[in-house]
Amino acid sequence: MNAHLLINSSYLLAAFLFILGLKRMSSPKTARSGIIWAGFGMGVATIAAFFTPHLGNIPLIIIAVMLGSFAAFVSAKKVAMTDMPQMIALYNGMGGGAAAAIAAVELIRVTNHGIGDYTLTVIILAVAGALIGAISLSGSVIAFAKLQGIIRTAWTFPMQQVFNLLIFLATLVLGYLIVTQSQDPAGISGMVLFAFFALALLFGILVAIPIGGADMPVIISLFNALTGLAVAFEGFVLGNAAMIIAGTVVGSAGTLLTQLMAKAMNRSLANVLFSGFGSKETGEAMDVDGSMKPIEAMDVSVMMAYAQNVIIVPGYGMAVAQAQHKVWELTKLLQDKGVNVRFAIHPVAGRMPGHMNVLLAEAGVPYDIIADLDEINADFQSADVALVIGANDVVNPVARIDPNSPIYGMPILDADKAKNVIVIKRGQGKGFSGVENHLFYADNTRMLYGDGQKMVAELSQHIKEF
Amino acid sequence: MSEVEITGIVALYIFMLAGFTGYEIISKVPVILHTPLMSGSNFVHGIVLVGAMIALGHAEGFLEQTIGFLGVILAAGNAVGGYVVTERMLEMFKSSEGK
């Protein structure tokens, strides 16, 4: 059998399995099998690559594959579910770096041996892929460092956007030089090549460094799309159809996903990229009427045990307190008493859209009692109790009524429409945005002060005794 | 260079069709799957591993080999890390009947 045909069929099969896998990953019922199919495709393509004709340096390749796989496998097995977003950023950056490395190897060869049989298009795409890949690498590393808490501040300075633009333009000029020099008998200057990569990496850092933590997921998703594009470009350079297809699919899917995320957070992509949160001038905030009314755990448990419909609104605070397992225990106890319990998830409830679902899934909460904002908002009116744990801004009715508020216009969960609202909260502080939460002062709201995990455990204890 | 020549216009066709495919796949995804799906698509561009292997496979001289070597390490990290975290997340999604 013809070796080329076999290798190329393997790549075709891999591309098919990637698309099938992603399709299956877009529904919770089939998602698990989706990643397994895609993984199978990756295995097929990797084995096929070993049979590439005239492949040299095979011991080096094997060592590098083993080193990279081992390090990634160990770190990926260890990472906590709460830290998932930054790990995704890191692996994505590695992909971008790999695409840039491919371009570097090819361009260095052109520098040393002349253009050979490369066409102008190939050089242009190699340079474009290198630029995007390098930006994705350094930007993702910064995103990782920020979410991991290694870098704590959103670093801004005057004229930042002008400075960034100049760096970007300088990188483009160097890229243009590489392309023109490649057509020249004198060849590409090594200095220009080095400066191009250095500036591209610097630009990635500059893009990511002023972004605030809450907006980071959108940026990570954007870098993910960019890496896909870089991989597609380098796929063209190497004449590898699997890379072109997989890279382009991720590029366009990632772009759409980025837009969906930005929309879920009520921001536009431009807004995320070019402005810090809360930096816009706002007028005087509305005054709050009433006071916060405390309640005891015993009373809450009676209220919940004899309710018909309970909606739990978890926020990132719940995950930080590691209370999700206790919450699921409480839910099961209530279900045994015939209470209809559901979870209402705001799109930005975790660190990125969908993150809270992952955290609840980790605790064992089945996905069919978890509802999105659109699905559940109308049902709050018929809920006897809305239990808010570790969520704040996402249930603040001020977003509906006060145009001066920085969170005005953000879609919120209508927890305030439930007959009774119970808020479990450590103290009387404000939310992430620093906005006073009117829900806490409402007539139908009672505050259960204390640590999330302890309070939920106490509720379960009381309910068991009934 | 490859044995199967992918010319400019054919590459454009592939770009166009794959672009629409990606868009269509994602357009009806519920928010609950945004994080795993981002992670899954992150894994899929781990196919860069194949390219990195080919690049290292014809690298000559210390500089090319070093960069190619780093490229393969990074690419393998992308593919393996991306797979493991996605699988770990999706493994946990269960429905009430599923137990």
Side-chain angles (χ1 to χ4, degrees), chain A residues 43-325:
Chain A
V44 169
T46 311
I47 292 168
F50 273 107
F51 293 95
T52 308
H54 318 298
L55 194 74
N57 296 325
I58 287 181
L60 274 183
I61 294 177
I62 293 175
I63 294 170
V65 169
M66 281 168 53
L67 278 179
S69 306
F70 180 74
F73 185 82
V74 173
S75 60
K77 279 282 180 200
K78 247 179 26 191
V79 59
M81 283 296 153
T82 40
D83 293 342
M84 217 38 115
Q86 54 261 48
M87 256 356 243
I88 298 173
L90 194 61
Y91 298 134
N92 172 54
M94 292 171 89
I102 294 171
V105 170
E106 302 304 311
L107 291 171
I108 291 169
R109 189 172 34 253
V110 175
T111 309
N112 292 339
H113 304 290
I115 189 155
D117 51 2
Y118 286 144
T119 61
L120 181 64
T121 321
V122 165
I123 301 289
I124 293 174
L125 286 180
V127 170
L131 173 65
I132 300 171
I135 291 173
S136 177
L137 168 65
S138 58
S140 298
V141 169
I142 296 294
F144 168 80
K146 284 196 149 195
L147 288 180
Q148 192 72 20
I150 300 170
I151 301 177
R152 290 188 176 280
T153 49
W155 187 57
T156 52
F157 54 87
M159 305 290 280
Q160 189 162 17
Q161 277 156 34
V162 178
F163 182 74
N164 289 2
L165 184 68
L166 287 178
I167 295 287
F168 186 63
L169 288 178
T171 320
L172 286 185
V173 168
L174 288 170
Y176 176 76
L177 275 181
I178 295 173
V179 172
T180 48
Q181 285 177 350
S182 73
Q183 304 298 303
D184 201 342
I188 302 172
S189 144
M191 277 303 291
V192 171
L193 197 57
F194 177 79
F196 168 75
F197 277 100
L199 278 191
L201 288 169
L202 176 66
F203 182 70
I205 296 175
L206 289 171
V207 167
I209 207 117
I211 311 283
D215 287 336
M216 234 9 150
V218 180
I219 297 300
I220 295 175
S221 178
L222 180 67
F223 285 140
N224 184 40
L226 286 178
T227 301
L229 204 58
V231 170
F233 287 173
E234 299 311 325
F236 183 82
V237 172
L238 298 170
N240 188 304
M243 283 172 71
I244 302 181
I245 295 172
T248 312
V249 167
V250 174
S252 76
T255 306
L256 181 59
L257 203 54
T258 310
Q259 284 168 349
L260 289 176
M261 283 192 180
K263 211 176 118 205
M265 304 172 79
N266 194 34
R267 315 283 308 269
S268 74
L269 188 56
N271 194 247
V272 170
L273 281 173
F274 301 120
S275 75
F277 188 74
S279 58
K280 75 174 174 185
E281 289 294 319
T282 50
E284 204 60 24
M286 277 171 65
D287 283 332
V288 214
D289 296 327
S291 60
M292 295 197 202
K293 296 162 279 290
I295 192 170
E296 293 300 318
M298 184 67 200
D299 301 326
V300 176
S301 47
V302 175
M303 200 188 271
M304 291 178 85
Y306 295 101
Q308 258 177 349
N309 291 301
V310 170
I311 298 179
I312 300 179
V313 182
Y316 192 61
M318 179 200 70
V320 171
Q322 285 294 318
Q324 57 268 44
H325 295 273

